[in-house]
């Protein structure tokens, strides 16, 4: 769902592009511009744990991985082994490598964006797997995007 600023951009862009395209193509062109706007690299993302980031107000869950829990593992759940602080700190270092690009896949039951996230061109899910700071979860990998692209799990 576009943010309020993107919604207002949709309203503002239509009169600007209207003279440039046929009337039935305004919607398509506006959608294309909005897609480009949302794919623009951003900065200022901070790791909250080994598989989640906060980018401004948006909470993002990395696709296809599970990192050690910062708190207690919920009863009945199989949680990733390892040091949660080391996993979070590694993701913080990785996220600071350069501009962040977010390829949104969906939303989880907690309202977080599920996404493949890149920092400085590096896929953060793959990097956490390679560093041993997370485990691969095929059942959380929509479209098996991480399974197909990460060397560590092939």
């Amino acid at each position: 769902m576009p943010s309020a600023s993107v919604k207002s951009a949709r309203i503002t862009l239509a009169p600007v592009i209207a003279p440039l395209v046929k009337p039935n193509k305004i919607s398509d062109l506006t959608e294309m511009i909005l897609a480009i706007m949302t794919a623009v690299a951003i900065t200022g993302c901070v790791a909250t744990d080994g598989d989640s980031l906060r980018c401004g107000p948006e909470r993002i869950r990395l696709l296809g991985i599970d990192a050690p829990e910062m708190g207690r593992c919920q009863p009945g759940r199989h949680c990733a082994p390892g040091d949660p602080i080391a996993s979070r700190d590694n993701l913080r270092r990785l996220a600071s490598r350069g501009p962040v690009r977010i390829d949104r896949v969906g939303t989880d039951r907690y309202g977080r964006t599920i996404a493949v996230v890149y920092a400085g061109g590096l896929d953060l899910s793959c990097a956490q797997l390679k560093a041993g700071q997370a485990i691969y979860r095929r059942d959380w990998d929509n479209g098996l995007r991480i399974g197909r692209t990460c060397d560590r799990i092939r």
Side-chain angles (χ1 to χ4, degrees), residues 51 61 63-68 78-82 87 125 128-129 132-138 140 146 153:
D51 52 29
R61 180 75 162 73
L63 179 67
I65 67 168
D66 190 22
H78 175 72
C79 293
S87 182
S125 291
Q128 282 290 82
L129 290 169
Q133 297 297 336
I135 60 171
Y136 176 62
R137 291 290 305 258
R138 182 184 174 97
W140 294 355
I146 301 304
I153 54 179

Side-chain angles (χ1 to χ4, degrees), residues 1 11 22-24 42 55 66 72 100 106 109-110 154:
M1 176 60 98
I11 293 165
K22 295 178 181 177
N24 61 344
I42 60 171
C55 300
D66 190 22
R72 201 170 56 94
V100 174
R109 64 182 177 188
Y110 303 109
R154 285 190 204 162

Side-chain angles (χ1 to χ4, degrees), residues 80-95:
D83 180 349
I85 294 170
S87 182
R88 180 202 60 204
D89 290 350
N90 190 63
L91 185 56
R92 282 183 177 168
R93 280 190 297 277
L94 294 168

Side-chain angles (χ1 to χ4, degrees), residues 64 126 129 136 138 141 143-151 153-154:
C126 293
L129 290 169
Y136 176 62
R138 182 184 174 97
D141 188 3
L144 302 179
R145 289 177 63 172
I146 301 304
R148 286 194 309 260
T149 59
C150 296
D151 292 333
I153 54 179
R154 285 190 204 162

